[in-house]
Amino acid sequence: MAAESHGPLAQFEIKTLIPLKMGEVDVSFTNSALFMSLTLVLVTLFLVLGMRQRALVPGRWQSMAEISYEFVANLLRDTVGSEGRKYFPLVFTLFMFILFGNMLGMIPYSFTFTSHIIVTFAMALAVFIGVTVLGFIKHGFHFFSFFVPPGVSVVLWPLMIPIEIISYLSRPISLSVRLFANLTAGHTMLKVFAGFVVSMGVIGGVLPFAFVVALTGLELLIAFLQAYVFTILTCFYINDALHLH
Amino acid sequence: MPQLDPSTFAPQLFWLLVTFVLLYLAMWKIALPKIGSILQDRQERIDDDLEKAEKLKKDAEDVREAYEKTVAEGRNKAQETIRAASEKMAAEAAAQHAALTEKLNAQTSEAEARINAAKEQAMANIRTVATDVTQAAAGKLIGRDISEADAEKAVASILDEERH
């Protein structure tokens, strides 16, 4: 798709800010890297500065930091149980990284790194590989019993086992495409309707403008929801690896 | 679609790795222990306060029990004292009553003895007087003196008859 500089897809273009090379590999600092770094800095500041007073009765900021902690901690405890405690820093990082990436993307003229399939796929694949390795470490070759659905007669095994394996292997794809597609579609739609505001003029543009406002609210919800979905699915996968069925 | 341009993959993956690992380290080593410790402190403080409140409540309960026990003891003691006093008073009253009764009885029997003595005396006097009167009267009536012994005999027979 040829993207014009003002087309709906122009916002997803990767622009090199500082060209860098590591051997033969291109590791240029791009707008994507800029927003990843911003996410890193903002999440860290949000939590560290929010907690700097260590108040017994928290203020608003500290409250938000604590709420995000407890939100993810409860999520992990409800899905995995107390054994999930070890994976809390990773799950929490995943949630905050995606959440802040999505939310930063809602700022006009910013860049949404979670709208890039390579980023979401890399995260999903890392989760998938990590969880699979965890399953093998925990259960050895018994982990393969995960692909045998309980309570299904042996006659159906030749049918069920390939289905289970395919569904297991498609996890990183569904996990990454869900996040990428939601963010890309939402941002594209916002851009398209924002374009209508300009092209329909002051009077005709009122309707698409109202739509853009409503859509922005919806996108904020989706930005949170997709971070939540990515996190809770990761928790489910960890639970599956730890407890099989 | 810019997302499908493979030339952008390498820098994105590189910076994803760098930022994500740094964020993970910051969360794991700095932010999460900080939040976790304050949440734990708060929970401990709340548990501590609850425990303290529980203890104070128990103390208050103990004090109340001790107070009630003291009051009950005081009441028992007071009743004991009242009972002892009233028993003592009753005993004293009974003793005084008995002494008085005895005294009265003694006086009564003494008086009775006196009355009896007086009566005896009077009887004896009557006998003497009657004998004299009889002697004199019989002397006047029959014109001669009768012996004192006869008069006395006559009087005695009459008086003895009457007395029966």
Side-chain angles (χ1 to χ4, degrees):
Chain A
M1 210 179 289
E4 293 287 315
S5 62
H6 293 294
L9 296 176
Q11 58 179 320
F12 302 120
E13 266 168 25
I14 299 288
K15 296 183 190 98
T16 300
L17 303 176
I18 307 164
L20 290 170
K21 280 253 172 200
M22 212 164 69
E24 284 302 298
V25 188
D26 178 20
V27 293
S28 302
F29 194 80
T30 60
N31 51 353
S32 168
L34 174 67
F35 278 88
M36 287 177 191
S37 309
L38 262 178
T39 298
L40 164 65
V41 171
L42 287 178
V43 171
T44 309
L45 288 183
F46 168 65
L47 294 176
V48 172
L49 293 185
M51 298 305 293
R52 76 191 180 287
Q53 290 186 322
R54 299 183 56 85
L56 196 66
V57 179
R60 285 180 204 154
W61 192 355
Q62 188 181 330
S63 235
M64 287 201 296
E66 285 175 10
I67 285 167
S68 51
Y69 179 100
E70 285 184 324
F71 178 72
V72 180
N74 289 340
L75 196 66
L76 191 60
R77 192 170 48 241
D78 292 347
T79 50
V80 185
S82 52
E83 298 126 282
R85 205 69 215 130
K86 271 187 282 184
Y87 314 105
F88 176 57
L90 188 68
V91 173
F92 185 78
T93 308
L94 209 52
F95 176 72
M96 293 306 268
F97 191 72
I98 297 171
L99 179 67
F100 271 63
N102 291 352
M103 286 299 180
L104 281 177
M106 287 309 297
I107 300 169
Y109 298 106
S110 69
F111 179 83
T112 321
F113 61 80
T114 42
S115 68
H116 272 256
I117 183 72
I118 188 65
V119 173
T120 61
F121 187 70
M123 290 193 289
L125 195 65
V127 168
F128 175 77
I129 292 170
V131 160
T132 307
V133 168
L134 179 67
F136 274 109
I137 290 172
K138 189 92 181 166
H139 301 286
F141 284 102
H142 191 63
F143 180 68
F144 285 117
S145 74
F146 182 69
F147 300 116
V148 183
V152 171
S153 70
V154 182
V155 185
L156 286 174
W157 280 14
L159 184 66
M160 293 303 290
I161 292 173
I163 290 174
E164 287 286 324
I165 291 175
I166 291 168
S167 108
Y168 187 78
L169 292 177
S170 64
R171 276 174 172 187
I173 298 165
S174 67
L175 192 59
S176 59
V177 168
R178 184 182 298 110
L179 179 56
F180 149 74
N182 266 286
L183 272 288
T184 302
H187 282 257
T188 307
M189 198 149 70
L190 267 180
K191 188 76 182 227
V192 167
F193 277 93
F196 286 165
V197 178
V198 178
S199 61
M200 289 172 81
V202 177
I203 298 172
V206 171
L207 207 64
F209 184 73
F211 201 79
V212 167
V213 170
L215 211 56
T216 304
L218 180 70
E219 284 304 310
L220 283 170
L221 176 72
I222 286 172
F224 168 77
L225 202 65
Q226 288 306 318
Y228 172 72
V229 167
F230 198 102
T231 313
I232 198 166
L233 283 173
T234 302
C235 292
F236 281 141
Y237 296 163
I238 293 172
N239 182 47
D240 282 345
L242 290 178
H243 304 119
L244 296 183
H245 285 290
Chain B
M1 212 172 189
Q3 282 96 327
L4 301 178
D5 177 4
S7 70
T8 67
F9 287 0
Q12 286 196 82
L13 287 175
F14 174 77
W15 286 102
L16 173 66
L17 186 70
V18 169
T19 53
F20 193 88
V21 166
L22 285 178
L23 185 65
Y24 176 70
L25 290 176
M27 295 298 103
W28 181 35
K29 289 293 177 195
I30 305 166
L32 294 181
K34 217 170 182 166
I35 304 176
S37 81
I38 187 121
L39 289 179
Q40 198 180 344
D41 282 357
R42 185 173 307 143
Q43 194 56 47
E44 273 168 14
R45 172 79 178 266
I46 289 169
D47 290 347
D48 204 42
D49 284 358
L50 281 179
E51 206 173 284
K52 220 180 266 169
E54 196 68 30
K55 198 180 155 289
L56 285 176
K57 197 179 151 205
K58 207 182 150 290
D59 285 355
E61 201 72 22
D62 287 351
V63 168
R64 199 174 65 91
E65 252 167 42
Y67 162 77
E68 271 172 8
K69 207 173 145 218
T70 311
V71 167
E73 264 173 16
R75 195 174 290 140
N76 280 347
K77 215 181 233 172
Q79 270 170 354
E80 191 73 27
T81 310
I82 289 170
R83 211 178 55 226
S86 66
E87 262 171 20
K88 197 176 157 205
M89 273 156 63
E92 265 172 19
Q96 276 178 359
H97 182 73
L100 191 63
T101 306
E102 204 176 321
K103 198 173 157 196
L104 285 174
N105 281 346
Q107 280 177 353
T108 305
S109 46
E110 196 193 334
E112 271 172 1
R114 264 209 323 271
I115 288 166
N116 276 344
K119 205 170 159 189
E120 293 289 322
Q121 188 71 45
M123 274 303 191
N125 287 349
I126 281 172
R127 191 168 287 225
T128 315
V129 171
T131 307
D132 288 349
V133 170
T134 305
Q135 201 178 357
K140 283 273 167 68
L141 282 172
I142 62 177
R144 70 171 172 109
D145 287 344
I146 63 166
S147 70
E148 199 182 322
D150 284 343
E152 205 180 292
K153 205 165 145 198
V155 168
S157 74
I158 290 166
L159 280 177
D160 287 347
E161 212 168 90
E162 266 185 13
R163 197 177 279 180
H164 291 135

